Amino acid sequence: MHPKPDLLRSAASAFDPVVAQTALDGLTAPRKTLPPHLLYDPEGCRLFDAITTLPEYYVTRTELALLRQVGPEIAGLVGPGASVIEYGAGSVTKAALLLEALERPAAYAPLDIAEVAVEGTVRAMRKRFPQIALHPIVGNFMEPIALPEVPRPLLGFFPGSTIGNLDRPAAIAFLAAVKQSLGQGARFLVGVDMPKDPAVLVPAYDDAAGVTAAFNLNLLHRLNREAAAGFDPAAFRHEARWNATHSRIEMHLCSRASQSVSVAGQPIRFAAGETIHTESSYKHARGAFLEMARAAGWESEACWTDPAQYFSLHLLR
């Protein structure tokens, strides 16, 4: 799950023409879709944090265990005095594990489009690592970002399998942009979720407690608030689907009946059973991810996986 939006606004925010146009662009397409960053308003961020603690959601606990296990190896390869640039910052725990493992890290720059996430990360890190220089960056990591002047070597960090929210062309473009912005001699540590039995995958995106369903349906509340929409969230249901052809989990909002919904004054028709595709989460085998990384100019320095082969950490250079 992830990438995140245009700067987060409070739940009380009014009509947002950018959100409204984004919604109209997606909902008037031949196959209705909405970009996943719209999922992450403040309530969406809260719900996603809850998802990461669910028993079905193996991703976070598997990645954390890997980071704890291989942190010393990462530190040995990166060397002392590194500055960490985290793309899509939000999980203080993961960044903290990495910073604790590194030898005398010099600086930490959390980059996220959600201002509230960056502010929260900085507050937590200031208490935990008072000796490390903090350089918060609010911006969309899919767009050109001016990085702060920090000591080298640089280590980019992209945890949580957020790379899986990007299709192959977008993932290669992102990896290439990071390669250019980090510059010569930098490394990039990327968390990648791997293909596995749909019996494990699907419940991770459709948990028994309904937290992921609430997360997905919250998008309709946001559109009601920020895009002058008239959605009845009860008229839609959450669906998680495994698409084996594209090796991805898809999240959809499925219309329970034929209906018309106004968005920014424009009627949008839904047939019974028609869906809005809200997010994809691609699952990459080791070789498939490395093909994309090489296409973007990176080479593999190391790769670690958990015993069940659920998740991988790639150190690129």
Side-chain angles (χ1 to χ4, degrees):
M1 300 182 183
H2 299 42
K4 297 176 186 167
D6 176 333
L7 299 184
L8 280 183
R9 297 163 178 85
S10 71
S13 62
F15 180 79
D16 184 322
V18 175
V19 172
Q21 189 59 56
T22 300
L24 286 173
D25 289 345
L27 296 175
T28 57
R31 296 189 66 181
K32 293 179 174 64
T33 185
L34 289 169
H37 69 67
L38 290 179
L39 292 163
Y40 293 89
D41 68 349
E43 177 64 3
C45 288
R46 185 191 70 79
L47 287 166
F48 181 71
D49 285 344
I51 288 168
T52 65
T53 67
L54 295 170
E56 296 96 331
Y57 196 73
Y58 61 87
V59 179
T60 301
R61 64 176 175 270
T62 306
E63 185 175 27
L64 286 172
L66 256 182
L67 280 169
R68 292 186 182 99
Q69 176 188 338
V70 306
E73 291 182 60
I74 295 169
L77 292 167
V78 172
S83 295
V84 175
I85 313 293
E86 182 178 7
Y87 293 80
S91 172
V92 172
T93 305
K94 294 174 189 175
L97 280 175
L98 179 60
L99 291 170
E100 286 170 350
L102 294 175
E103 183 182 351
R104 302 190 311 277
Y108 170 64
L111 188 166
D112 199 273
I113 201 163
E115 187 172 21
V116 67
V118 173
E119 290 173 348
T121 298
V122 168
R123 283 195 301 270
M125 290 301 196
R126 185 170 288 123
K127 293 178 182 178
R128 195 157 180 175
F129 300 98
Q131 77 282 13
I132 296 177
L134 300 178
H135 299 270
I137 310 169
V138 177
N140 187 342
F141 60 66
M142 293 301 294
E143 299 174 356
I145 294 289
L147 297 182
E149 290 293 331
V150 293
R152 292 179 179 270
L154 297 185
L155 173 62
F157 184 40
F158 197 43
S161 196
T162 306
I163 192 74
N165 290 129
L166 308 176
D167 64 19
R168 180 181 172 85
I172 292 172
F174 166 73
L175 290 167
V178 172
K179 177 74 172 173
Q180 182 175 13
S181 65
L182 290 180
Q184 188 70 25
R187 292 176 171 85
F188 196 24
L189 183 64
V190 186
V192 181
D193 199 15
M194 303 176 75
K196 57 188 66 68
D197 190 335
V200 175
L201 278 169
V202 174
Y205 295 83
D206 192 10
D207 57 278
V211 181
T212 311
F215 170 72
N216 203 11
L217 288 161
N218 179 65
L219 174 53
L220 302 182
H221 290 287
R222 180 178 188 181
L223 295 185
N224 287 348
R225 189 174 65 248
E226 297 184 29
F231 284 100
D232 175 6
F236 290 80
R237 68 175 180 272
H238 164 72
E239 289 187 1
R241 304 173 180 176
W242 171 241
N243 185 327
T245 302
H246 296 290
S247 190
R248 71 188 187 197
I249 284 281
E250 299 174 357
M251 291 208 317
H252 293 259
L253 291 170
C254 181
S255 180
R256 296 180 183 271
S258 177
Q259 58 181 305
S260 179
V261 178
S262 176
V263 178
Q266 182 169 333
I268 306 293
R269 295 288 309 172
F270 289 88
E274 186 177 8
T275 75
I276 307 169
H277 185 177
T278 57
E279 185 178 64
S280 291
S281 184
Y282 289 83
K283 310 304 175 185
H284 299 296
R286 176 177 177 174
F289 174 75
L290 288 177
E291 282 181 10
M292 294 193 301
R294 291 188 185 106
W298 293 99
E299 291 297 331
S300 176
E301 183 166 13
C303 175
W304 302 272
T305 62
D306 63 288
Q309 301 285 298
Y310 276 12
F311 197 90
S312 58
L313 282 172
H314 292 262
L315 186 64
L316 307 176
R317 66 172 305 164

